[in-house]
Amino acid sequence: MASVSIRLDGVSKRFDHTVKGEVYAVRQVSLSVATGELLTLLGPSGCGKSTTLRMIAGFEEPDEGAISIDGRDVTHMLPNQRGIGFVFQNYALFPHLSIFENVAYGLRVQGKPAAEIVRAVGEVLELVGLAKYERQQPHQLSGGEQQRVALARAVVFHPKVLLFDEPLSNLDAKLRVEMREQIRALQKRIGITTVYVTHDQEEAMAISDRIAVMERGEVVQDGTAEDLYYRPRTEFVARFIGRTNLLTARVVSAGEVEVEGVRLALAARKPAGERVTLVVRPEMIALLPDAQGAGRIVQRTFLGEKTDYQVALGGAVLQVTAGGEPIARLLAPGSRVAVRIASENVHILS
Amino acid sequence: MLLPWYALQEGLDSGAWLGGLWSSEDYGSGFAEVLAQGKWWLSPALLALMGCFGLSLLPIPRERRGTCLAFVAGAGVVLFAAQAWGIGLRGWTAGWLTALFGEMESRQVGIGAGAAVALIALLSLLSIGLALRGAFGGDAFVAGAVTAVATSILLFTAWPILRILLQAFQNGDGAFEPALVIERLSAAKIWSLRCLSGSGRCGVAWNTLFLAVACGAGTTALGLAFALIVTRTSFRFKKTLRVLTVLPIVTPPFVIGLALILIFGRSGLVNQLLEWSLGVPPTRWIYGFQGVLLAQLFAFTPVAFLVLIGVVEGVSPTLEEASQTLRADAWTTFATVSLPLMRPGLANAFLVGFIESIADFGNPIVLGGDYGVLSTEIYFAVVGAQLDYGHAAALALLLLVLALGAFFLQRRVVGGRSYATISGKGDAGLPVPLPKGARRWALSVALPWATFTVLLYGFAFMGGLVKVWGRDYTPTLDHYIKAFAIERSASGLIWSGAAWNSFWTTVTLAAIAAPLTALLGLLAAWLLVRQRFVGRAALEFATMLSFAVPGTVIGVAYVFAFNIPPIEITGTALIIVICFVFRNMPVGVRAGIAAMSQIDRSLDEASATLRGRAPQTLIHVVLPLLRPAMVGALVYGFVRAVTTVSAVVFLVTAEYELATTYIILRVINGDYGLAIAYSSALIALMLAAILLIQLAVGDRRLGRRAAQLQGSRA
């Protein structure tokens, strides 16, 4: 693993709540981000992800713990001394300055020579594809363009780390996909250490090297997208990342479990008769037409490239996704099916 | 047609007119005047009325009837106006009319109840006719409301101001002399700049301008200091500072001046202390530019404070955070981001201070001494020994131009691109704490100032509790007793205090005016926000304009416009009430517009789809939702009416004396004790009124918010 760029060590932030008294917005968060890595903080609103990011930026001071950037303790340092670039949700472009002046702001503040400023700003605007926009005012630009200006402004003085706070949530769905690809490409090209905050799990999976899932102020799991999807550590993570079936199974023997009458070859590491919870993703289940089958189709949703089924099996209702089947093979609601679960990807929650 | 056409000397309630409705020239009704007295020129209005009545009986299509109705009624109104202005106290009012129609035997006094009713009837018919033709969305109520608001603004704001213009061009006998206005406006007394070279006094125009610029700059700087402290520091007594913003609303404008006299005047504390300790003879330095400026800074800083709180809060904290991530320190952020973003707001605050200063009458009259400004010069030209109406009109014209100039500039500043960055979306950023230097500056400016303001009010209050300020500091209630004594006698209570007469007049007239103010203001607001009709922009412009006209100008204008027929109401309580209403109506309009823009238009539309017509929608949907705004407009209408000086100082008479003008006269006579006692009582009363209402209205708002939360959860 490459060298560590950002390190959070047992960081906590408390707030005084009018009803609940003292509550933790962030609790004992320890994270490290490697140089050049893109780490996403993912979680529902109010989980503390933005507060964590704002503590890294220096807008808020942690009540406990320490934060360091490139080995330097920045816990109580002002934002302007930390060497960070920050991209805000609402872009935060200065409305009284032109695009050029917005991007140049950080360089001007540092007293860089004019020629260097012109060159650097030109370069970075070229990089985000806005070379001709220098004389425009922020309000003349579209949301996506404003976001790119914000990005250019954040990277123009080569900060050590780049921080994003829900940068795409004000854009429409299509633009969001486009922009996240651009952000990822740019990040890789300049190889900058990045922390990215979002509540959108698809966005997180698409853009990140690593994702830290947060719930109620704590990091519940951090790992690659594949880790989180196939080996979630908690029920919360399993439900938050992708769609999932959480099924209660009974251990039959050392190598076998049973779910609603369906037997699976799985090493449960538990004595026979114990109950375990399985994480079964919808696409891991296969349905076979069978008049005597244990399952019954409750609902079918045709989505084109795939078809979603709800299948009643014993006491449970399963989410099943079947992909790219010929029309003739579509199963009608009410018909009976046999249920097969591909056991190699099924994960047992500890 | 059972009311006397002309105004009566003794008023309607005497009943003497009942016997003379037909026979007497003075008491006659409209028909009687035409038929029995041969006043043919009154007949068009009456004929038009009858014509309209006939039209509504004829079986003709809706649109045709509307056209005819509008035409006949409109003609009636025009001819009514023509005869009203054409024939005055001495017959025809202009030479060419005499030439055209021959010598006039009789004369006309002001219009009375009968004529007023006839005019209102004609205007209603005109609006019904227009509505029938399809104007105003075919709604007679909207048409009527527009006509009512427009006519009243025309009569009581536009016409008086126009009258000033005319007066400025007329010589003492009323003849038209265009050259006069140039002579009047170019007088050395107005434009001299000798004070700059140290060889004399400057003209009043320059005096006014210097004062206004200094006042605007000063109040802006002070207001900014306060606003920064309240919004950007962790200062502990922020809430207390906010109380300051209520003070100027409840304080009659001259009270600050009074308090300053108590401290810095010849027999004030400072002079006495200096004389006692250093043997320095008392000076009069408080009287003049510096004194008035000081008083205005105290009086208007809270206004700037109020404006600038919004401005400072409008600067998005995220932008300041952005600046910080770009390596700017707190001071650079403040200088390159926060301040530029506030610039339009600062300009606005400056212009507000400027406008307040040139419109101020109370402080210059109390403290000005030899330093005359336009508003006081106008007063002396009308009331003083000169009695030069033309001069007053010219000065008023100048003041009006200054005020309107500043007003338009302000509109451009506010209307231009605003950087206020509050949007519906929550701004997650935290305001960046002020840089140390700015914080220290703000605190060192604002805190002494706030302390001194409190001291001023304290002294103003104490001044009423000692025998003679400066000579005999024995505590006494004499001034209060003198002002507010009530004696018990055989025939009941006798309100023997000197202040009671003016006090009750003030309260009664303000209480009559306040509901009218609120009603007219909200009606106008509703029309402006919710209805689309021809001339809407003009109406909005006129309402906003009357906001910008200084009180002194309105006062003089009323004197000029309404002391001769057709509307002859000078010296009555009516003119004071009308003055209150039209001076304060813009406040109601603004409150109404603000409140109404928050009520979703779809509610109106929902009512319309449920077959509610305009009046029903207004009564059942808009008004209930507007209750807080209505209560607010009522109270501010009342309070402003009680505390105003500048306009009514021209309109009061011995019979209808107002509290503020009474106090001013006491001050001019040097009777400070009584004046201060009276002012304190007024301030206390107004403060009580405002607090009571804010309590009531505040509660209602809380209730609504809770309800909305529940709604959104369900």
Side-chain angles (χ1 to χ4, degrees):
Chain A
M1 197 172 172
S3 61
V4 172
S5 174
I6 305 174
R7 183 189 294 281
L8 276 70
D9 222 346
V11 171
S12 297
K13 178 78 186 171
R14 293 185 295 264
F15 284 111
D16 280 327
H17 191 277
T18 43
V19 183
K20 297 182 204 156
E22 195 171 73
V23 292
Y24 277 89
V26 173
R27 182 172 217 151
Q28 289 295 323
V29 166
S30 297
L31 280 171
S32 55
V33 191
T35 306
E37 186 185 27
L38 194 157
L39 173 84
T40 296
L41 299 177
L42 174 67
S45 56
C47 72
K49 56 189 190 302
S50 276
T51 309
T52 307
L53 190 76
R54 292 170 59 78
M55 284 192 289
I56 299 174
F59 299 141
E60 317 215 17
E61 255 186 72
D63 294 313
E64 294 161 22
I67 301 170
S68 64
I69 294 176
D70 276 359
R72 197 164 53 128
D73 183 4
V74 297
T75 315
H76 303 290
M77 200 180 272
L78 287 174
N80 55 3
Q81 291 155 5
R82 295 191 179 200
I84 48 165
F86 200 106
V87 178
F88 294 84
Q89 178 174 3
N90 60 2
Y91 324 134
L93 299 182
F94 303 124
H96 58 300
L97 301 178
S98 70
I99 300 306
F100 179 87
E101 285 302 328
N102 258 284
V103 178
Y105 185 87
L107 301 169
R108 283 215 195 287
V109 164
Q110 288 177 45
K112 290 267 164 26
E116 189 190 327
I117 293 177
V118 171
R119 187 189 50 77
V121 173
E123 251 174 45
V124 76
L125 280 177
E126 184 82 40
L127 201 63
V128 296
L130 289 174
K132 295 201 188 89
Y133 287 68
E134 291 186 349
R135 303 274 152 251
Q136 308 263 8
Q137 293 290 317
H139 66 97
Q140 295 171 303
L141 269 57
S142 72
E145 288 165 347
Q146 289 189 31
Q147 186 58 277
R148 272 141 67 194
V149 175
L151 187 58
R153 186 180 68 176
V155 300
V156 69
F157 55 88
H158 303 298
K160 288 178 227 141
V161 301
L162 193 51
L163 308 176
F164 289 89
D165 189 7
E166 306 245 8
L168 305 181
S169 58
N170 284 353
L171 303 176
D172 66 50
K174 212 174 150 205
L175 202 55
R176 229 170 10 224
V177 173
E178 225 177 281
M179 275 302 296
R180 79 183 183 212
E181 282 161 7
Q182 282 191 25
I183 289 176
R184 177 61 163 167
L186 186 81
Q187 186 264 338
K188 277 196 160 158
R189 178 139 34 118
I190 56 182
I192 187 170
T193 312
T194 302
V195 180
Y196 189 103
V197 162
T198 182
H199 62 267
D200 182 340
Q201 49 108 359
E202 190 189 308
E203 190 175 307
M205 292 171 90
I207 206 171
S208 317
D209 292 314
R210 206 150 51 87
I211 301 171
V213 180
M214 293 188 68
E215 182 196 10
R216 282 193 227 128
E218 296 179 71
V219 173
V220 287
Q221 185 172 6
D222 96 81
T224 62
E226 294 84 351
D227 272 344
L228 297 173
Y229 192 75
Y230 288 113
R231 288 179 290 281
R233 202 172 295 153
T234 68
E235 203 179 308
F236 173 81
V237 176
R239 285 188 196 279
F240 197 76
I241 308 282
R243 292 194 310 145
T244 194
N245 296 294
L246 286 175
L247 303 175
T248 308
R250 198 173 50 83
V251 179
V252 180
S253 67
E256 200 173 30
V257 298
E258 189 218 289
V259 181
E260 304 289 350
V262 179
R263 294 209 164 198
L264 288 172
L266 267 181
R269 293 199 212 102
K270 291 234 170 140
E274 282 282 294
R275 295 191 175 277
V276 290
T277 305
L278 304 185
V279 179
V280 183
R281 300 291 181 182
E283 69 279 6
M284 298 174 188
I285 304 173
L287 303 175
L288 303 169
D290 181 348
Q292 264 70 53
R296 187 173 55 83
I297 305 285
V298 179
Q299 199 184 48
R300 184 183 74 190
T301 311
F302 178 67
L303 295 168
E305 60 189 75
K306 60 177 186 175
T307 309
D308 284 344
Y309 294 101
Q310 282 183 24
V311 181
L313 180 69
V317 175
L318 305 182
Q319 311 286 333
V320 180
T321 297
E325 291 171 320
I327 292 179
R329 294 262 305 275
L330 289 179
L331 299 162
S335 59
R336 301 211 71 90
V337 287
V339 176
R340 298 276 178 276
I341 299 174
S343 62
E344 67 263 24
N345 286 331
V346 171
H347 176 68
I348 302 177
L349 280 183
S350 46
Chain B
M1 295 300 100
L2 293 174
L3 289 167
W5 185 261
Y6 292 115
L8 310 180
Q9 284 291 317
E10 66 273 23
L12 272 183
D13 44 359
S14 75
W17 50 275
L18 276 171
L21 261 183
W22 179 257
S23 51
S24 152
E25 189 182 344
D26 290 340
Y27 295 160
S29 74
F31 283 105
E33 298 282 356
V34 173
L35 298 175
Q37 310 292 336
K39 296 189 175 172
W40 53 268
W41 56 86
L42 297 182
S43 59
L46 299 166
L47 283 176
L49 266 183
M50 288 191 290
C52 291
F53 184 67
L55 269 173
S56 57
L57 291 180
L58 285 176
I60 45 175
R62 191 186 145 91
E63 197 146 318
R64 279 269 297 286
R65 186 189 317 182
T67 313
C68 299
L69 214 53
F71 181 76
V72 174
V77 172
V78 170
L79 290 171
F80 180 99
Q83 63 85 14
W85 269 283
I87 304 171
L89 269 176
R90 285 172 293 195
W92 297 109
T93 48
W96 58 272
L97 282 169
T98 318
L100 199 62
F101 292 100
E103 206 59 43
M104 167 74 56
E105 294 289 306
S106 63
R107 58 196 194 86
Q108 281 204 123
V109 293
I111 62 169
V117 168
L119 183 61
I120 291 169
L122 279 175
L123 285 170
S124 320
L125 287 163
L126 174 64
S127 32
I128 291 174
L130 288 174
L132 281 177
R133 287 199 60 213
F136 305 106
D139 197 314
F141 177 78
V142 178
V146 172
T147 317
V149 172
T151 315
S152 53
I153 289 180
L154 270 181
L155 265 185
F156 295 112
T157 305
W159 160 240
I161 291 173
L162 200 68
R163 197 66 192 68
I164 285 198
L165 260 173
L166 293 178
Q167 190 83 43
F169 285 92
Q170 281 170 348
N171 66 14
D173 303 324
F176 195 69
E177 274 185 53
L180 255 180
V181 73
I182 296 161
E183 187 191 318
R184 280 170 178 151
L185 280 178
S186 54
K189 241 191 116 188
I190 301 179
W191 295 109
S192 157
L193 266 173
R194 260 176 307 186
C195 63
L196 294 182
S197 56
S199 58
R201 287 212 294 271
C202 276
V204 282
W206 290 117
N207 280 353
T208 310
L209 270 175
F210 293 151
L211 189 65
V213 168
C215 175
T219 52
T220 305
L222 286 164
L224 182 64
F226 279 107
L228 286 175
I229 287 175
V230 166
T231 52
R232 289 299 168 92
T233 65
S234 50
F235 185 62
R236 270 190 303 161
F237 306 104
K238 293 177 184 178
K239 288 233 166 96
T240 327
L241 281 185
R242 273 187 192 250
V243 174
L244 282 181
T245 59
V246 188
L247 289 177
I249 304 168
V250 296
T251 313
F254 46 78
V255 167
I256 299 280
L258 259 180
L260 282 176
I261 290 179
L262 293 186
I263 298 176
F264 296 113
R266 268 180 73 83
S267 54
L269 289 180
V270 171
N271 268 324
Q272 285 193 328
L273 200 70
L274 286 177
E275 191 174 18
W276 174 76
S277 60
L278 302 171
V280 180
T283 68
R284 292 180 52 85
W285 77 268
I286 191 70
Y287 297 96
F289 174 80
Q290 57 278 24
V292 183
L293 177 61
L294 202 58
Q296 290 189 340
L297 287 182
F298 276 110
F300 305 135
T301 291
V303 183
F305 178 28
L306 204 61
V307 171
L308 289 170
I309 283 182
V311 172
V312 176
E313 277 176 348
V315 174
S316 160
T318 314
L319 289 176
E320 296 176 334
E321 287 186 344
S323 159
Q324 282 195 301
T325 65
L326 300 169
R327 306 199 181 170
D329 58 25
W331 184 248
T332 314
T333 300
F334 185 73
T336 57
V337 176
S338 319
L339 266 185
L341 291 177
M342 290 179 210
R343 204 178 297 139
L346 290 173
N348 182 26
F350 172 82
L351 287 170
V352 168
F354 184 93
I355 292 171
E356 292 273 9
S357 171
I358 59 173
D360 187 19
F361 171 78
N363 289 313
I365 192 118
V366 172
L367 283 173
D370 293 338
Y371 193 82
V373 295
L374 284 170
S375 60
T376 52
E377 283 302 302
I378 293 171
Y379 177 71
F380 290 126
V382 171
V383 179
Q386 327 169 19
L387 204 70
D388 186 348
Y389 278 10
H391 183 55
L395 290 176
L397 201 61
L398 200 58
L399 184 55
L400 185 66
V401 169
L402 271 182
L404 292 187
F407 174 73
F408 284 121
L409 216 58
Q410 187 205 7
R411 292 260 293 186
R412 271 197 49 189
V413 166
V414 177
R417 187 142 48 81
S418 154
Y419 297 139
T421 31
I422 294 174
S423 61
K425 291 213 172 73
D427 195 323
L430 292 177
V432 174
L434 275 185
K436 279 214 182 68
R439 196 182 118 87
R440 216 171 300 139
W441 169 77
L443 280 174
S444 67
V445 168
L447 288 189
W449 193 259
T451 319
F452 203 59
T453 307
V454 173
L455 269 180
L456 271 183
Y457 276 88
F459 280 124
F461 182 69
M462 305 240 298
L465 292 173
V466 299
K467 272 208 167 124
V468 183
W469 190 273
R471 253 176 288 158
D472 183 357
Y473 289 106
T474 325
T476 174
L477 281 173
D478 280 359
H479 302 303
Y480 283 91
I481 292 169
K482 199 173 157 202
F484 296 109
I486 302 172
E487 282 167 27
R488 201 184 289 275
S489 74
S491 55
L493 293 177
I494 298 176
W495 306 81
S496 58
W500 283 121
N501 180 27
S502 59
F503 179 80
W504 288 124
T505 310
T506 307
V507 171
T508 315
L509 296 187
I512 295 173
L516 292 173
T517 311
L519 201 72
L520 200 62
L522 290 182
L523 188 65
W526 179 70
L527 291 174
L528 292 177
V529 175
R530 287 297 210 261
Q531 303 294 329
R532 294 281 166 271
F533 51 88
V534 185
R536 186 184 146 275
L539 188 62
E540 179 171 17
F541 184 72
T543 352
M544 289 305 142
L545 207 60
S546 54
F547 202 62
V549 181
T552 327
V553 175
I554 281 283
V556 177
Y558 270 37
V559 170
F560 292 159
F562 299 129
N563 70 350
I564 46 164
I567 307 174
E568 188 184 2
I569 48 176
T570 315
T572 63
L574 185 63
I575 195 170
I576 297 175
V577 171
I578 289 177
C579 180
F580 283 162
V581 171
F582 287 91
R583 278 299 288 154
N584 298 330
M585 187 188 73
V587 181
V589 176
R590 285 218 306 204
I593 287 181
M596 236 171 288
S597 351
Q598 288 179 343
I599 301 171
D600 198 28
R601 213 194 170 94
S602 62
L603 289 177
D604 286 29
E605 289 160 1
S607 169
T609 59
L610 299 169
R611 306 211 168 170
R613 285 165 11 133
Q616 278 111 321
T617 309
L618 185 61
I619 290 167
H620 295 299
V621 180
V622 180
L623 283 188
L625 289 171
L626 275 186
R627 199 140 75 204
M630 239 160 51
V631 175
L634 257 180
V635 176
Y636 288 110
F638 181 78
V639 171
R640 278 179 56 114
V642 170
T643 55
T644 187
V645 183
S646 52
V648 291
V649 78
F650 297 95
L651 305 175
V652 292
T653 59
E655 191 183 349
Y656 298 107
E657 181 143 55
L658 296 177
T660 47
T661 50
Y662 178 83
I663 297 173
I664 285 257
L665 285 181
R666 295 277 77 72
V667 175
I668 292 175
N669 292 339
D671 189 357
Y672 295 139
L674 184 63
I676 287 167
Y678 200 167
S679 307
S680 310
L682 270 190
I683 293 178
L685 181 77
M686 296 303 102
L687 211 54
I690 291 222
L691 287 183
L692 259 174
I693 290 307
Q694 289 213 327
L695 231 58
V697 175
D699 277 347
R700 230 193 95 73
R701 272 197 201 134
L702 281 181
R704 223 184 110 184
R705 191 167 298 152
Q708 276 178 346
L709 268 178
Q710 274 163 12
S712 67
R713 217 174 284 142

